[in-house]
Amino acid sequence: MNAFVTRFAPSPTGLLHLGHAYSALTTYDAACAVGGKLILRIEDIDRTRCKAEFERAIFEDLTWLGITWEMPVRRQSDHFAHYTEALQKLRDAGVVYRCFKTRKDVADEIARAPHLTPEGPEGPQYVGDRLAAHKERSLLAEGAPFAWRLKTSRAVHLAEKIGGPLTFTEEGAGPKAEHGTIRATPELFGDPVIARKGLGTSYHLASVYDDALQGVTHIIRGEDLFPATHLHRLLQAVLNLPAPIYRHHRLMTDEMGKRFAKRDRAVTIKALRESGETSADIRKRVDLL
Ligand code: GLU
């Protein structure tokens, strides 16, 4: 058996709930089943939404669930310099551009021609391009804020020139039962923001970079992140990173069929623990006995 490395990568923006328990236990069980490793990664690049108390609760909840993981734990906010390096590689490859438009500018532009901008997984598929050099220079001189967007068409062209058609392997299932070898269609995202104003990175870039750095061979996560895989595969190809295998899993829902969210206090692991449930009860609740 080749090395098997998977990861659970929560963002400490709230308490973990039953959906997280299902995801974390699934990654842990998969690693245990083959004598592989589980990595825990704290995805806290958005410092305004992440809190130390939620990070502490992640360790506490997972330990209580009986999960163990590799040490040390990587906390993304400690590694912004790495993501800047990854962004520089994208800049060197000529596949990103500075976008000076505010959210409102973009929304207004789309409202003027909605038929040109279908919906993607993260909102309208906005496609732009870099400004003329003199305009960009004067905006930079004024200190105008900007975000980095991926020029998706150029990135796909480059990736396919090097490696042929972009595909990924799905061993689980996407929301429409997608399985097997899947053609990546990152165009679905338009030109996504790859490094946000003031943040220097995005979830997509940081996550793809870390998965490669940490030698993750199998990405096991909820099917809500299946669409993002199309973009992640493109970033891996352009950054010359290995392609992991994907296993997207179903999402846990309540009796009404509604997905659990961080605001559903009643089903947080902490609340269930405090109400006297055991970790075996949680396994039973998420059908992982
Ligand atoms: N940090 C992401 C979240 O909490 C998960 C990222 C991933 O598994 O790729 O939703």
Side-chain angles (χ1 to χ4, degrees), residues 109-277:
E109 212 169 291
I110 289 167
R112 281 196 294 276
H115 55 288
L116 294 177
T117 325
E119 274 300 298
E122 290 184 344
Q125 297 171 5
Y126 176 79
V127 176
D129 211 340
R130 70 170 41 123
L131 290 174
H134 69 279
K135 276 200 190 144
E136 190 170 286
R137 261 197 309 276
S138 74
L139 283 167
L140 287 174
E142 280 169 26
F146 63 87
W148 288 99
R149 281 187 189 270
L150 185 70
K151 185 68 197 157
T152 302
S153 57
R154 212 171 289 146
V156 169
H157 180 75
L158 179 71
E160 300 206 323
K161 206 167 85 184
I162 306 167
L166 262 189
T167 60
F168 61 91
T169 304
E170 175 60 61
E171 288 186 348
K176 295 190 185 126
E178 298 93 332
H179 178 84
T181 303
I182 311 236
R183 182 75 198 251
T185 52
E187 297 81 2
L188 232 120
F189 281 81
D191 287 353
V193 170
I194 222 65
R196 298 197 170 275
K197 286 173 200 163
L199 271 191
T201 186
S202 60
Y203 150 66
H204 302 296
L205 186 58
S207 184
V208 159
Y209 179 91
D210 283 350
D211 285 331
L213 181 82
Q214 299 188 284
V216 173
T217 60
H218 289 72
I219 295 186
I220 302 172
R221 61 184 178 193
E223 65 178 28
D224 52 331
L225 287 165
F226 178 84
T229 310
H230 292 272
L231 173 58
H232 294 182
R233 186 63 201 100
L234 175 60
L235 291 173
Q236 288 153 4
V238 177
L239 292 168
N240 200 19
L241 304 174
I245 288 170
Y246 290 86
R247 287 188 195 167
H248 289 92
H249 61 66
R250 68 192 168 91
L251 299 177
M252 294 295 305
T253 52
D254 63 16
E255 311 83 63
M256 309 295 286
K258 197 168 77 45
R259 266 176 64 183
F260 293 125
K262 285 188 173 151
R263 59 185 175 278
D264 296 330
R265 280 164 191 265
V267 292
T268 62
I269 298 169
K270 183 167 188 272
L272 294 168
R273 179 170 68 241
E274 288 172 356
S275 75
E277 293 209 14

Side-chain angles (χ1 to χ4, degrees), residues 13 37 46 54 73 87 185 195 197-198 209 219 243:
T13 54
K37 291 182 183 169
D46 187 346
F54 295 136
V73 172
L87 176 64
T185 52
K197 286 173 200 163
Y209 179 91
I219 295 186

